[in-house]
Amino acid sequence: MDIAFDRQHLWHPYTSLSDPTKTYPVVGANGVRIQLADGSQLIDAMSSWWCCIHGYNHPVLNQAVTDQLQHMSHVMFGGLTHEPAIKLGQQLVAMTDPSLDAVFFADSGSVAVEVAMKMAAQYCFEQGLTKKHRFLTFAKGYHGDTFGAMSVCDPVTGMHHKFSHLLHQHLFISSPRCGFDQAWEDHCMDEFKQALAEHHESIIAVIFEPIVQGAGGMNFYSPEYLRQVRALCDEYQVLLIFDEIATGFARTGKMFAYEHAAVAPDILCLGKSLTGGYMTLSAVLCNRMVADGIGTHFMHGPTFMANPLACAVALASTQLLVNSDWQQRVSAIASSLQQGLQDLSAHPAVKDVRVLGAIGVVELHQTINWAAIQERMVAKGVWIRPFMNLIYMMPPLIIEAAEIDHITEALATTLQELL
Ligand SMILES: *Cc1c(COP(=O)(O)O)cnc(C)c1O
């Protein structure tokens, strides 16, 4: 493998070409394991960034792609339609809240967020709500790297200062503070309440990640927060967008994180594990009020909208998930993570250890040399990618208890070695 070319010419996520970080050449992946070119095998604790819920090289998903290849890999969705899109649409409508029954397929998570924001904005325009010109969102959010999505990401970790001359200015409040398991305290709602009371006339929609703020800080918060947000959005007639691109498809212990609170958004973004990590595809669902309120033409239409290969594998992946014992699997992963990580809370460098569903987080007091941690973990046969002061794990749902123990033991040893 021409690693020199990779280093000199290929950007990797969030890296510099003048000073590239280390990359590990991969030659294959199977089940929960990634196979490196040097022959070593890594247990994947990342699901390739929340995506590969069924693991790699899954026979059912492989079959879905090869079957679809025999018919067509792509046709335009403008004026044409096909079975994979229709069946996937039916599946998503059936498995999400009954109010969500209109589906827009897009290419990636970031584009889904763009589409959701545009849907909300066009809805408001068509309703004559012309004073509405911005979104309300939280610190520590992450919604993608395109400009619209970036504009509602955490201003600090999203490095807004480098792009502020190009970014639309939205309204930010603190991230939800009341922890997932903590007793609810009413003051946790004060800032949101006040923001909506003062600014609802200018707010198109509230957009955030329900229950788990992912790439912006791995913050788990109370379902009561969601319930109250929903009630306040109804009271002030402000649209509500949930970005479930990371949390959707069983990761938090519910099929969708909003189920923890038994509320539904007006607009829902799905992505990442939608195709089981096989291909890039996202979906935006909305309710009838939004769909009908948008009027004649919704102004969006990606070239690869509803790509048949991606839809076929997404259908296979969601069916596989729905028909599996995912609740038991996620709770088994949760208890293994809990058990394996709990002793780490006594480590002086560790600020907090938390687990929700198939997500385990070790928060350190200080920002870490994540590349050093990664290198030690790779030497111990585990793939993780920490960021800021956070070491987190969200393994494929097919992972076995012994494999989770391997991950948590490797992490404990690594922390002892380095911190
Ligand atoms: C990853 C992510 C996105 C962006 O998805 P891409 O496919 O990387 O564009 C948006 N929102 C959330 C919550 C995410 O985790």
Side-chain angles (χ1 to χ4, degrees):
M1 229 183 274
D2 193 347
I3 297 296
F5 184 89
D6 184 271
R7 284 184 75 76
Q8 282 163 22
H9 299 279
L10 304 185
W11 258 294
H12 285 262
Y14 314 109
T15 56
S16 140
L17 269 191
S18 44
D19 182 22
T21 49
K22 180 167 181 164
T23 51
Y24 298 83
V26 177
V27 292
N30 200 36
V32 298
R33 285 180 171 75
I34 295 171
Q35 197 189 333
L36 297 186
D38 68 5
S40 56
Q41 303 249 349
L42 308 181
I43 298 176
D44 179 16
M46 303 298 296
S47 300
S48 277
W49 272 339
W50 315 83
C51 293
C52 298
I53 45 175
H54 307 295
Y56 300 93
N57 204 10
H58 194 288
V60 173
L61 304 187
N62 288 2
Q63 194 62 49
V65 178
T66 41
D67 286 350
Q68 183 55 40
L69 263 179
Q70 312 310 312
H71 302 289
M72 68 218 168
S73 57
H74 185 63
V75 290
M76 63 189 279
F77 209 51
L80 300 175
T81 194
H82 46 79
E83 189 100 329
I86 293 169
K87 285 203 162 152
L88 178 60
Q90 288 171 329
Q91 175 68 33
L92 294 177
V93 165
M95 70 193 292
T96 54
D97 187 85
S99 63
L100 300 168
D101 73 350
V103 185
F104 189 102
F105 290 115
D107 319 60
S108 69
S110 302
V111 176
V113 170
E114 302 287 336
V115 167
M117 291 171 75
K118 202 192 256 189
M119 264 182 192
Q122 191 172 329
Y123 172 86
C124 292
F125 175 85
E126 300 291 350
Q127 306 312 302
L129 301 167
T130 49
K131 276 196 233 158
K132 290 184 180 280
H133 62 92
R134 57 183 173 173
F135 291 83
L136 171 63
T137 190
F138 305 149
K140 288 194 187 175
Y142 179 76
H143 299 286
D145 295 338
T146 54
F147 272 92
M150 188 166 82
S151 72
V152 287
C153 287
D154 183 89
V156 179
T157 57
M159 305 224 171
H160 281 196
H161 67 280
K162 296 191 182 182
F163 307 101
S164 55
H165 54 300
L166 296 172
L167 286 179
H168 199 80
Q169 300 299 306
H170 299 298
L171 209 53
F172 283 85
I173 59 170
S174 315
S175 61
R177 255 179 292 248
C178 190
F180 184 83
D181 296 318
Q182 257 172 284
W184 176 255
E185 294 177 49
D186 280 334
H187 68 82
C188 293
M189 217 57 222
D190 289 353
E191 205 181 338
F192 183 86
K193 246 184 219 167
Q194 194 184 342
L196 220 53
E198 266 176 42
H199 302 295
H200 64 94
E201 285 188 345
S202 71
I203 297 172
I204 294 168
V206 177
I207 177 168
F208 60 98
E209 302 147 275
I211 304 295
V212 176
Q213 291 188 292
M218 302 306 295
N219 180 32
F220 304 163
Y221 63 91
S222 170
E224 183 58 25
Y225 199 100
L226 282 196
R227 278 190 280 273
Q228 298 211 14
V229 164
R230 178 71 269 184
L232 287 161
C233 284
D234 287 342
E235 185 184 331
Y236 287 104
Q237 298 191 335
V238 169
L239 292 176
L240 182 54
I241 303 172
F242 284 168
D243 177 351
E244 292 240 18
I245 289 164
T247 51
F249 302 104
R251 183 55 62 183
T252 69
K254 300 280 186 188
M255 188 55 84
F256 299 101
Y258 64 71
E259 294 173 20
H260 287 286
V263 295
D266 298 296
I267 301 174
L268 173 69
C269 301
L270 301 175
K272 289 209 161 97
S273 54
L274 173 60
T275 65
Y278 267 57
M279 254 174 268
T280 178
L281 180 73
S282 61
V284 182
L285 281 82
C286 72
N287 60 29
R288 270 297 133 185
M289 179 189 77
V290 173
D292 292 343
I294 276 175
T296 47
H297 298 103
F298 179 53
M299 283 312 295
H300 215 96
T303 306
F304 283 93
M305 188 166 179
N307 172 258
L309 274 182
C311 287
V313 74
L315 177 65
S317 175
T318 45
Q319 285 177 341
L320 196 59
L321 181 65
V322 168
N323 296 324
S324 72
D325 55 350
W326 60 270
Q327 286 100 332
Q328 287 98 306
R329 288 210 153 261
V330 173
S331 62
I333 293 170
S335 27
S336 294
L337 284 172
Q338 193 81 53
Q339 213 166 23
L341 296 176
Q342 65 189 5
D343 289 348
L344 290 181
S345 33
H347 192 290
V350 174
K351 185 176 168 194
D352 185 39
V353 170
R354 50 187 181 271
V355 172
L356 177 65
I359 313 169
V361 179
V362 178
E363 182 175 349
L364 304 176
H365 287 291
Q366 281 171 3
T367 300
I368 39 176
N369 179 352
W370 64 264
I373 293 183
Q374 186 172 67
E375 200 164 332
R376 297 285 176 125
M377 292 296 279
V378 166
K380 296 172 181 56
V382 176
W383 180 245
I384 59 164
R385 184 178 159 105
F387 68 101
M388 301 191 298
N389 61 331
L390 297 160
I391 303 171
Y392 66 116
M393 288 135 270
M394 57 242 187
L397 305 184
I398 57 159
I399 197 164
E400 299 295 338
E403 293 162 333
I404 296 178
D405 292 348
H406 184 124
I407 295 170
T408 54
E409 281 159 23
L411 183 58
T413 318
T414 298
L415 290 189
Q416 256 160 20
E417 288 165 0
L418 291 178
L419 298 168

